[in-house]
């Protein structure tokens, strides 16, 4: 439910643009799923070996220490999750408003207002009940899988009718440009936006029932192959209805597909995208708030963010911070230009975390590991990771450089806010006062024994 969001409706255009052919684009989608599977297997071992909520942040902090963990936390809270939430929310509003403005782009203010309403609604739901939030995730996951199943089924019908001209080998590998290694790296970065979220279950490990034995590895083994199948065959279906040039010229691939093949029922596509993105917003809120919660519990963020509601057992202060950061990014500039920053920072964090798995094997060889993957799996992932980052830096030095600068701005913040213990009394009194009033307003207390289970 976290993986399938707006990515499958945004990324096909970017992947095709950088690969230069239909066949290579489909290969990138399959390999993208394979890379996500390798990464998720590594995260499964880390998740049951270090069973803490917080995912990457908790593992990096445990293995490499406070500064490394804080930098990951800083980049995630400042850019990765608020920007991803903003992009998904704006995609939701654009598709909801499209029937109202069929012949033009929806007005800027209308799109922003609807995005904010959606975000505030889901923040309230996640603040009220963990069970409500997970039920919404289950329902909307089923809804968007049914919508994607419709695209795939219609695609197969087209193939049986003989409409697969673009998928024949001679046409599929007819390159209109010769992709460089840098282009391939950027194609994988575009595809990675669609697959992002494969590590989100590790952010709520403490709230899972029996994560060590069953639920964490089972969820990974089911979800990654399923998502890879869905993404690959969705793209195949797209090419049964439109040429590569038509796909590249489309601003809403799923809507163009629906208009060409579904006739009267073409309205299903914008509705399905809206459902998909609504569930994606809910999933990002659920997991990003747990990251703030874990960071505060470790002392890397204000202690108020480590508090949970007295009755609802939900991290309301952390949810409010995630919501506020996303609202600010929605109002500042064009959030879509930040997608490349998000993808680069995401992959950088994934690689550092999986390097931590190898380091942990060396530092603590005898620690109990309910799941222990073959070392070839993290090594293979890291080889691909190095290729992607090196050639991304070569192809987009400004974008990747800004991403690195964003991460490094956390260094002085760490030393001033976390490492510096003997702060002036006036600073400590201000922090205590803000924490006190935050407790009163949000009806929160320090958690006893970690996150609540439900």
């Amino acid at each position: 439910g976290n993986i399938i969001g707006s990515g499958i409706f945004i990324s096909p255009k970017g992947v095709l643009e950088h690969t230069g052919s239909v066949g290579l684009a489909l290969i990138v989608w399959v390999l993208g799923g394979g890379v996500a599977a390798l990464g998720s297997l590594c995260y499964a071992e880390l998740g049951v070996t270090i069973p803490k909520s917080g995912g990457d942040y908790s593992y990096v902090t445990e293995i490499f220490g406070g500064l490394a963990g804080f930098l990951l936390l800083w980049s995630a809270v400042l850019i990765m999750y608020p920007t991803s939430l903003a992009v998904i929310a704006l995609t939701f509003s654009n598709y909801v408003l499209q029937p109202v403005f069929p012949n033009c782009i929806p007005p800027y203010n209308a799109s922003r207002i609807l995005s904010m309403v959606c975000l505030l609604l889901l923040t309230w739901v996640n603040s009220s009940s963990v069970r409500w939030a997970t039920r919404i995730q289950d329902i909307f996951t089923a809804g968007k899988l049914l919508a994607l199943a419709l695209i795939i089924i219609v695609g197969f019908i087209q193939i049986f009718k003989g409409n697969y001209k673009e998928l024949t080998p001679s046409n599929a590998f007819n390159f209109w440009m010769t992709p460089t290694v840098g282009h391939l790296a950027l194609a994988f970065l575009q595809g990675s936006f669609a697959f992002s979220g494969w590590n989100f279950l590790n952010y709520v490990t403490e709230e899972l029932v029996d994560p060590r034995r069953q639920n964490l590895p089972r969820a990974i083994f089911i979800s990654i192959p399923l998502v890879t199948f869905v993404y690959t065959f969705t793209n195949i279906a797209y090419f049964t209805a439109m040429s590569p040039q038509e796909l590249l010229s489309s601003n809403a691939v799923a809507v163009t597909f629906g208009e060409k093949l579904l006739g009267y029922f073409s309205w299903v596509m914008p509705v399905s995208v809206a459902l998909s993105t609504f569930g994606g917003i809910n999933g990002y809120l659920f997991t990003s708030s747990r990251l703030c919660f874990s960071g505060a519990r470790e002392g890397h963020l204000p202690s108020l963010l480590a508090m949970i509601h007295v009755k609802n057992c939900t991290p309301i202060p952390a949810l409010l911070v995630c919501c506020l950061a996303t609202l600010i990014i929605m109002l500042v500039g064009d959030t879509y230009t930040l997608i490349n920053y998000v993808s680069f920072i995401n992959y950088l964090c994934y690689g550092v975390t999986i390097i931590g798995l190898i380091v942990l094997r060396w530092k603590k060889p005898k620690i109990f590991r309910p799941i222990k993957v073959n070392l070839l799996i993290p090594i293979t992932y890291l080889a691909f990771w190095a290729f992607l980052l090196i050639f991304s830096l070569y192809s987009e030095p400004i974008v990747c450089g800004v991403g690195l600068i964003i991460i490094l701005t956390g260094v002085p913040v760490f030393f001033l806010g976390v490492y510096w213990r003997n702060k002036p009394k006036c600073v400590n009194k201000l922090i205590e006062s803000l924490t006190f009033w935050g407790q009163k307003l949000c009806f929160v207390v320090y958690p006893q024994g970690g996150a609540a289970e439900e």
Side-chain angles (χ1 to χ4, degrees):
N2 282 328
I3 299 173
I4 300 176
S6 62
I8 188 56
F9 305 108
I10 296 174
S11 296
K13 184 175 177 178
V15 173
L16 182 63
E17 185 179 6
H18 290 296
T19 52
S21 75
V22 172
L24 191 54
L26 293 175
I27 290 172
V28 166
W29 282 105
V30 174
L31 290 178
V35 171
L38 292 176
S40 64
L41 288 171
C42 299
Y43 272 63
E45 176 177 326
L46 287 167
V48 297
T49 306
I50 308 173
K52 292 182 179 180
S53 291
D56 318 60
Y57 162 71
S58 294
Y59 312 146
V60 169
T61 303
E62 180 88 12
I63 298 165
F64 294 114
L67 176 59
F70 180 82
L71 291 178
L72 191 150
L73 178 69
W74 174 257
S75 59
V77 172
L78 189 68
I79 290 293
M80 282 195 295
Y81 293 110
T83 301
S84 297
L85 266 168
V87 170
I88 297 171
L90 289 169
T91 304
F92 165 82
S93 63
N94 286 334
Y95 274 88
V96 169
L97 292 172
Q98 190 179 31
V100 183
F101 302 94
N103 300 318
C104 62
I105 298 172
Y108 178 91
N109 289 335
S111 178
R112 291 300 189 277
I113 291 170
L114 183 57
S115 299
M116 292 176 182
V117 169
C118 174
L119 181 67
L120 292 169
L121 172 64
L122 287 173
T123 301
W124 173 77
V125 169
N126 277 268
S127 299
S128 300
S129 171
V130 174
R131 196 174 300 279
W132 288 6
T134 53
R135 290 294 178 270
I136 284 177
Q137 198 65 16
D138 293 341
I139 292 168
F140 280 87
T141 296
K144 59 194 173 188
L145 281 174
L146 287 172
L148 289 170
L150 175 62
I151 294 175
I152 293 169
I153 290 168
V154 172
F156 274 119
I157 293 172
Q158 286 290 99
I159 290 173
F160 291 140
K161 288 181 177 180
N163 298 325
Y164 52 83
K165 177 184 175 183
E166 301 297 340
L167 298 170
T168 58
S170 59
N171 288 325
F173 291 96
N174 181 20
F175 290 86
W176 59 85
M177 73 161 196
T178 303
T180 63
V181 179
H183 282 131
L184 290 177
L186 293 175
F188 274 107
L189 273 184
Q190 289 285 331
S192 73
F193 181 74
F195 280 102
S196 62
W198 54 262
N199 61 325
F200 276 11
L201 201 60
N202 291 67
Y203 282 76
V204 292
T205 304
E206 293 175 23
E207 296 175 77
L208 291 176
V209 178
D210 195 13
R212 286 178 180 257
R213 293 179 181 271
Q214 296 179 20
N215 286 330
L216 182 60
R218 180 186 295 169
I220 290 168
F221 297 147
I222 292 172
S223 63
I224 303 298
L226 177 61
V227 171
T228 305
F229 173 87
V230 169
Y231 280 4
T232 304
F233 279 91
T234 298
N235 277 274
I236 288 173
Y238 287 154
F239 291 116
T240 65
M242 62 188 96
S243 67
Q245 291 70 32
E246 286 176 315
L247 191 148
L248 289 172
S249 63
S250 172
N251 291 320
V253 178
V255 172
T256 304
F257 178 87
E259 289 173 349
K260 282 181 168 289
L261 296 183
L262 298 181
Y264 178 76
F265 294 99
S266 60
W267 57 267
V268 170
M269 284 299 104
V271 170
S272 67
V273 176
L275 292 175
S276 180
T277 49
F278 190 83
I281 297 165
N282 183 71
Y284 265 83
L285 269 175
F286 188 86
T287 50
S288 60
S289 62
R290 270 60 180 181
L291 178 62
C292 288
F293 174 92
S294 299
R297 190 172 58 180
E298 293 289 337
H300 287 165
L301 290 175
S303 59
L304 176 63
L305 301 182
M307 297 180 182
I308 60 175
H309 191 271
V310 176
K311 294 181 179 179
N312 299 340
C313 298
T314 54
I316 289 180
L319 281 163
L320 292 177
V321 166
C322 293
C323 178
L324 180 61
T326 305
L327 291 173
I328 292 170
I329 285 183
M330 279 184 191
L331 295 171
V332 178
D334 179 13
T335 56
Y336 289 94
T337 59
L338 293 173
I339 289 178
N340 284 333
Y341 299 136
V342 172
S343 298
F344 177 79
I345 294 172
N346 257 334
Y347 254 95
L348 189 61
C349 294
Y350 296 158
V352 170
T353 304
I354 292 173
I355 289 171
L357 182 148
I358 297 174
V359 171
L360 191 64
R361 290 273 190 97
W362 173 66
K363 289 172 65 176
K364 297 182 179 180
K366 295 183 180 180
I367 193 172
F368 178 56
R369 293 178 172 86
I371 297 173
K372 189 174 182 180
V373 299
N374 190 299
L375 270 178
L376 283 175
I377 292 176
I379 290 171
T380 304
Y381 182 91
L382 289 172
F384 175 82
W385 172 77
F387 151 78
L388 191 70
L389 291 187
I390 289 169
F391 285 100
S392 297
L393 277 166
Y394 174 77
S395 299
E396 292 284 351
I398 295 176
V399 170
C400 298
V402 171
L404 288 172
I405 290 170
I406 290 169
I407 295 172
L408 294 176
T409 55
V411 174
V413 176
F414 173 80
F415 283 104
L416 290 173
V418 179
Y419 188 78
W420 182 24
R421 299 290 184 182
N422 299 319
K423 296 182 179 68
K425 289 183 178 180
C426 60
V427 175
N428 289 326
K429 285 184 178 180
L430 177 62
I431 294 171
E432 288 172 6
S433 177
L434 291 173
T435 302
F436 173 79
W437 286 108
Q439 279 183 286
K440 294 296 183 183
L441 291 171
C442 299
F443 301 101
V444 293
V445 295
Y446 282 107
Q448 299 296 320
E453 292 185 6
E454 206 172 310

